[in-house]
Amino acid sequence: MKIQSYKRDGALSYALGVTVTVELLLRRPERVRAVLLHPGLADGEGKRRLLALCAQAQVPVETEEKPFRILSQKENCFAIGVFEKYSDPPQAGARQVLLVNPSNAGNLGTILRTMAGFGVRDLAILPPAADLWDPHTVRASMGAVFQLRAAVYPDFESWRACFPALPCFPFMLTASTPLQQIDFPDPCALVFGNEASGLPEVYARRGRAVVIPHGDGIDSLNLPTAAGIALFELTRKDWC
């Protein structure tokens, strides 16, 4: 098939790498248009599994080097899953993460993977924001994005209209309540801001603001780390 560079407003995106493509085929086989294999992909368990999943889902397989030069600058990328973007909004009554203006695709992908790891599968994003379907986001998530329900809402009010009763816990450096004092209701929403600027002060009035205490060796935790700590605390009773 004809391959073009990724476009944010386009209908297609790409899962880069064998592991990510396997996740795509396992989780969203109905969205896969084709799987591209690099001629250098060695025979082995990974290739056999890819081919078996493609056969099961009746997905065409093509072997060609050119798409890899267009889509991936990594020498260790030997498979690409071509898929249709889709909409799968968060469900009411589920634990949720709300990201306000996340700007980095790698950070967004890492948060997606952490959410899947802790069993929190519903995500809302407020723009401007990194692209959920950018191949860099998809790869950073290691395919976890295909396990989640996610949607972009134009603003907080639009999101709140869809989830009017969901308790919010904005994570803010200016908050006075430390994380260890919070007994999260189930369900609820964890709210995080931009990597550089955090959440605007208005969010302190949109829920119960929370701070993650840490030493004075840093001024703040990075976004994926803060999200990971919060997700662990939210789901602690599931594991402990």
Side-chain angles (χ1 to χ4, degrees):
M1 66 183 302
K2 184 178 180 181
I3 295 297
Q4 298 179 335
S5 298
Y6 174 75
K7 293 180 174 58
R8 184 166 186 155
D9 59 353
L12 299 179
S13 187
Y14 308 100
L16 305 180
V18 172
T19 300
V20 184
T21 303
V22 165
E23 281 295 305
L24 169 63
L25 287 162
L26 286 171
R27 308 288 182 176
R28 305 283 180 168
E30 74 283 358
R31 297 294 175 182
V32 188
R33 290 274 298 273
V35 168
L36 313 177
L37 301 183
H38 192 282
L41 177 60
D43 290 330
E45 180 59 30
K47 185 175 182 178
R48 288 193 292 271
R49 192 178 189 197
L50 271 177
L51 292 175
L53 289 170
C54 288
Q56 180 179 330
Q58 299 183 327
V59 171
V61 178
E62 301 178 15
T63 301
E64 188 180 354
E65 185 174 352
K66 184 178 178 181
F68 292 82
R69 295 197 297 269
I70 296 172
L71 298 175
S72 175
Q73 305 303 314
K74 294 184 178 292
E75 295 181 357
N76 62 345
C77 182
F78 292 99
I80 296 174
V82 184
F83 67 93
E84 298 173 349
K85 299 177 187 178
Y86 56 89
S87 176
D88 190 3
Q91 291 184 352
R95 296 166 175 169
Q96 192 172 143
V97 170
L98 172 61
L99 298 178
V100 180
N101 313 141
S103 62
N104 183 277
N107 286 344
L108 177 56
T110 300
I111 292 169
L112 299 176
R113 190 180 186 201
T114 304
M115 288 178 62
F118 285 114
V120 178
R121 304 188 184 277
D122 292 79
L123 172 69
I125 300 173
L126 303 188
D131 182 3
L132 180 68
W133 297 121
D134 188 302
H136 294 95
T137 305
V138 175
R139 187 178 177 96
S141 81
M142 293 304 293
V145 63
F146 303 121
Q147 298 184 42
L148 306 185
R149 294 177 288 268
V152 177
Y153 297 84
D155 48 44
F156 180 83
E157 289 72 24
S158 299
W159 174 82
R160 177 50 87 194
C162 295
F163 306 97
L166 192 64
C168 280
F169 292 86
F171 281 73
M172 306 177 69
L173 291 175
T174 56
S176 58
T177 304
L179 176 59
Q180 61 267 33
Q181 292 183 11
I182 297 293
D183 185 14
F184 289 110
D186 194 4
C188 66
L190 307 181
V191 187
F192 302 93
N194 175 268
E195 292 90 336
S197 57
L199 286 170
E201 280 302 316
V202 68
Y203 277 85
R205 302 191 296 274
R206 290 173 169 171
R208 186 175 181 186
V210 185
V211 64
I212 301 175
H214 58 74
D216 60 6
I218 57 172
D219 58 358
S220 65
L221 297 167
N222 69 29
L223 178 58
T225 300
I229 292 170
L231 284 162
F232 172 76
E233 289 295 333
L234 174 67
T235 63
R236 178 193 288 270
K237 295 176 183 177
D238 298 349
W239 322 111
C240 302

